[in-house]
Amino acid sequence: MSVADDFLVKADEKAFDISHRNTINYNIGKYNVAVNRGLAKFENLEASKRKAHVLKWRVMENLDKLLPEFESNFQKRGGKVIWANDAAEAQKEILQIIQRVGGKSVIKSKSMTTEEIHLNEFLDEHGVQSLESDLGEYIVQLLGQAPYHIVTPAMHLSKEDIAKLFNEKFGTPTDATPEQLTQKARELLRDKYLTADIGITGGNFLIADTGSIALTENEGNARLTTTFPKIHIAVVGIEKIIPSIADLDLFWPLLASHGTGQNLTVYNTILSGPRQANETDGPEEMYVILLDNGRTNLLAQKDQRQALYCIRCGACLNACPVYKNIGGHTYSTTYSGPIGSIITPHFKGMKEFKHLSYASSLCGKCSEVCPVKIDIHKMLLLNRRDAVTANENTATENLGWKLWKKGMKKRSFMDFFGGKVKNFVLKTFFKKGWGKYRNMPEIASKSFAKRWEEHQNKKDLD
């Protein structure tokens, strides 16, 4: 089964899963209340979004200057930068660092880039235990699942689902409260920070003028992950660069308010290299892996490169009617929802993932809520255009549209067959695809043009 066929099967299942829909509507409903409250704190939200858009535009136009600037400044503080063209290179470099020090265990904070390169599975294959420390990531790791959402990995689970999981895994009461479950997770994870050989994180922003990475979180696990292990590795996409530390004044509030509805997340950390001589904590070695993995493919697309402006707030997912019905796992990609539907075909191949750009109602809500004003629904249309231009459609699809176009351009072709024949074709060839959950239209025996012609002839006779 192709990726596109698998998507349709999963979407069909999830769209009519009432339990799933109730959970998602409840969780996104809570998000909407918080975000509306958070956005109200901005004196001029639209101006902030425009400023962020322009700043990100400037970044993409000067990526070749800003990334070396970051590298130079980071290395001055004793850090090491590794450039990885793809997932395989990133995996190889991380494994080499771990094997050099004889590492056996890794503690991770939440990171979509490590999900993108399937790091946990890779390390497990090479005998290295990798443990997620973010509570949501920890929960889905226990379930053997991928994150469901860019910001909220376990959004598809209710508190009852999580209580049941913890009861099965750790023997906690089935009626345990969220606070009790969190306390249990804290007890289980606390020692792991002290014993882990390597700490691995992502990075919300790379700061060029100071050579730093900025981490945003609510649990403190990223600070523990970057403080106790002797080695810290940050895996960050090349598009996450910003020119100056002063730009965090704009981006941190935008990310927090659109991601969780907070003015600022609880913990905001800036790391500029390994532990210095006058510092009491921090890693002995720090690496930043700058990940391409298809990003330069998207950068080369002048019309669509603005998708790289994304700061991974997840707002477009929570606004999307398609995502809210079919869920995050249906996409079978690291990045789901509207933004994932734009970038995945460029990251992983248009031929295999073009179907995601059609998984949209094009209502425009995603573009409306984006904090950096990415024209998301327009990008989806441009991806569709590119798929057609590159002739990535099937022969059947091309033939169908060719016949449709021919019929629509000439009335005589449209009216060549009567209503009975058209109804037969619809019920025979389109019932399964279009009529599974809806009544098929009943086409009149005579077309409007034919009836109008008869009406006019009758008037002339009268």
Side-chain angles (χ1 to χ4, degrees):
M1 183 183 292
S2 69
V3 178
D5 290 337
D6 184 55
F7 174 83
L8 292 174
V9 171
K10 288 180 179 177
D12 190 46
E13 291 172 356
K14 281 299 178 186
F16 293 90
D17 183 340
I18 302 302
S19 174
H20 170 264
R21 182 176 298 192
N22 289 340
T23 300
I24 296 307
N25 285 343
Y26 174 77
N27 288 334
I28 290 182
K30 290 179 67 176
Y31 161 88
N32 288 337
V33 171
V35 167
N36 289 337
R37 186 168 56 242
L39 296 183
K41 301 291 180 67
F42 281 86
E43 187 167 329
N44 191 332
L45 176 61
E46 191 61 24
S48 295
K49 290 165 70 169
R50 280 199 301 269
K51 183 178 179 182
H53 180 91
V54 171
L55 207 155
K56 276 290 192 176
W57 168 82
R58 193 179 305 140
V59 164
M60 294 309 147
E61 295 298 312
N62 294 279
L63 209 56
D64 58 332
K65 301 180 182 68
L66 291 171
L67 287 170
E69 182 185 351
F70 164 81
E71 180 181 32
S72 174
N73 290 327
F74 184 67
Q75 288 176 338
K76 287 175 185 176
R77 299 269 298 179
K80 298 175 183 177
V81 173
I82 298 169
W83 298 74
N85 288 314
D86 53 31
E89 279 191 21
Q91 291 171 345
K92 178 184 173 184
E93 295 289 350
I94 292 169
L95 185 62
Q96 284 181 348
I97 295 169
I98 295 172
Q99 290 178 337
R100 178 173 54 79
V101 298
K104 294 295 181 184
S105 61
V106 165
I107 188 80
K108 284 178 72 263
S109 74
K110 185 178 182 302
S111 163
M112 293 308 293
T113 45
T114 56
E115 292 291 337
E116 183 182 336
I117 65 173
H118 306 291
L119 185 59
N120 287 345
E121 297 89 333
F122 174 79
L123 292 178
D124 185 58
E125 290 170 4
H126 289 82
V128 180
Q129 181 190 22
S130 180
L131 185 68
E132 298 288 350
S133 62
D134 173 85
L135 181 56
E137 291 275 0
Y138 180 59
I139 289 167
V140 295
Q141 187 180 33
L142 288 173
L143 287 167
Q145 296 179 356
Y148 181 91
H149 187 282
I150 290 173
V151 175
T152 318
M155 180 185 270
H156 60 305
L157 302 173
S158 65
K159 61 183 179 180
E160 291 80 14
D161 294 329
I162 299 168
K164 182 182 177 183
L165 171 67
F166 273 49
N167 171 260
E168 293 171 355
K169 296 286 186 180
F170 312 118
T172 54
T174 53
D175 59 350
T177 64
E179 291 76 16
Q180 290 170 328
L181 296 171
T182 303
Q183 181 61 38
K184 182 63 180 178
R186 185 180 291 126
E187 292 171 8
L188 293 164
L189 290 169
R190 183 63 57 150
D191 289 341
K192 304 297 184 182
Y193 298 109
L194 302 173
T195 58
D197 302 306
I198 313 287
I200 297 180
T201 70
N204 294 97
F205 302 100
L206 295 166
I207 307 168
D209 66 349
T210 60
S212 310
I213 68 167
L215 295 172
T216 297
E217 52 161 337
N218 276 314
E219 300 174 16
N221 58 300
R223 284 191 177 178
L224 293 170
T225 298
T226 58
T227 300
F228 288 113
K230 291 184 178 181
I231 295 177
H232 170 209
I233 304 171
V235 186
V236 191
I238 57 174
E239 82 282 11
K240 291 297 188 72
I241 196 87
I242 57 174
S244 169
I245 195 169
D247 298 321
L248 290 175
D249 182 51
L250 172 67
F251 284 110
W252 263 348
L254 281 173
L255 176 58
S257 59
H258 286 79
T260 56
Q262 297 166 278
N263 296 337
L264 278 179
T265 45
V266 178
Y267 300 98
N268 294 285
T269 308
I270 299 172
L271 301 170
S272 303
R275 183 172 68 237
Q276 304 297 300
N278 60 338
E279 294 176 340
T280 57
D281 57 31
E284 295 174 6
E285 299 176 36
M286 182 175 173
Y287 300 84
V288 170
I289 295 179
L290 296 175
L291 182 67
D292 183 341
N293 205 32
R295 285 161 175 79
T296 48
N297 295 338
L298 185 52
L299 185 66
Q301 304 296 319
K302 188 175 181 180
D303 293 335
Q304 289 116 295
R305 69 171 57 149
Q306 65 172 276
L308 292 171
Y309 299 1
C310 177
I311 59 174
R312 304 289 190 265
C313 69
C316 61
L317 281 69
N318 299 324
C320 179
V322 175
Y323 180 89
K324 286 190 283 189
N325 276 283
I326 67 174
H329 288 153
T330 302
Y331 291 79
S332 298
T333 64
T334 303
Y335 305 105
S336 54
I339 190 64
S341 296
I342 299 173
I343 65 178
T344 301
H346 297 279
F347 285 9
K348 302 178 75 172
M350 185 66 74
K351 184 177 183 65
E352 194 174 7
F353 287 94
K354 72 180 180 68
H355 64 278
L356 295 181
S357 298
Y358 293 86
S360 170
S361 64
L362 298 177
C363 66
K365 186 68 176 176
C366 50
S367 303
E368 180 185 322
V369 300
C370 179
V372 289
K373 295 185 74 66
I374 302 171
D375 203 352
I376 297 175
H377 65 293
K378 181 182 177 183
M379 302 298 106
L380 292 169
L381 284 172
L382 292 173
N383 274 5
R384 297 181 189 185
R385 176 203 66 187
D386 289 351
V388 173
T389 303
N391 200 29
E392 299 291 3
N393 297 327
T394 64
T396 304
E397 188 176 353
N398 287 333
L399 177 61
W401 284 116
K402 189 175 181 179
L403 292 172
W404 179 85
K405 179 181 176 181
K406 191 175 182 67
M408 293 299 289
K409 288 177 73 174
K410 194 169 184 181
R411 172 64 63 182
S412 59
F413 287 141
M414 287 183 66
D415 294 343
F416 187 78
F417 295 107
K420 288 184 179 180
V421 174
K422 291 176 181 176
N423 284 322
F424 173 79
V425 171
L426 281 175
K427 290 175 182 177
T428 304
F429 298 103
F430 297 95
K431 178 67 176 176
K432 186 178 178 181
W434 290 355
K436 187 174 180 180
Y437 297 111
R438 60 177 70 87
N439 293 327
M440 296 294 286
E442 189 73 26
I443 297 174
S445 57
K446 291 182 181 178
S447 70
F448 174 79
K450 185 67 176 175
R451 293 180 65 183
W452 181 257
E453 182 184 348
E454 291 176 354
H455 175 71
Q456 291 298 103
N457 290 337
K458 186 179 179 183
K459 279 181 66 176
D460 292 341
L461 291 173
D462 292 342

